[in-house]
Amino acid sequence: MSLPRAKLTKNFPGCPVEATLSHLDGKWKGVILFHLMDGTLRFNELRRKLPAVTQRMLTKQLRELEESGLVSRTVYPVVPPRVEYALTPLGETLKPVIRALAAWGEEYVFCRPEGHELRDPSCAPAALQL
């Protein structure tokens, strides 16, 4: 049986892109990091910002981000329990990457009710063409 990608992060043959993406893979991790860029959020605040994610999936993705050292989880001993999530210093270093993804998405992705569609790069402003 093969190991999941997330468990193979130490076995990549010198490929920093693949190794980095292994920590960000998952439908919601990038979006969670995007929302945490503005500061600390409680679990239910994150859940309201991601209405399409289930509680189970959000918990799973947050645990994996915490295990990777990108997100910190602080539990306050009060009733009811209060849990807050924030970017760690290592997670903070991903801000330029997340901002670049957001800028690319704003320029090249159309969100329509029937789904997402990519814009033809030949129609993009010259400043954004690579």
Side-chain angles (χ1 to χ4, degrees), residues 111-125:
C111 295
R112 303 177 193 272
E114 61 274 4
H116 302 140
E117 183 178 314
L118 293 178
R119 175 184 288 170
D120 181 354
S122 62
C123 300

Side-chain angles (χ1 to χ4, degrees), residues 55-67:
Q55 180 172 338
R56 181 174 179 248
M57 181 55 69
L58 180 57
T59 299
K60 180 180 183 287
Q61 300 278 274
L62 284 165
R63 283 184 184 152
E64 289 176 11
L65 287 167
E66 184 181 7
E67 187 178 305

Side-chain angles (χ1 to χ4, degrees), residues 93-115:
T93 65
L94 284 171
K95 280 184 172 183
V97 175
I98 301 298
R99 283 190 194 109
L101 287 170
W104 189 89
E106 287 173 10
E107 187 63 31
Y108 295 107
V109 179
F110 289 110
C111 295
R112 303 177 193 272
E114 61 274 4

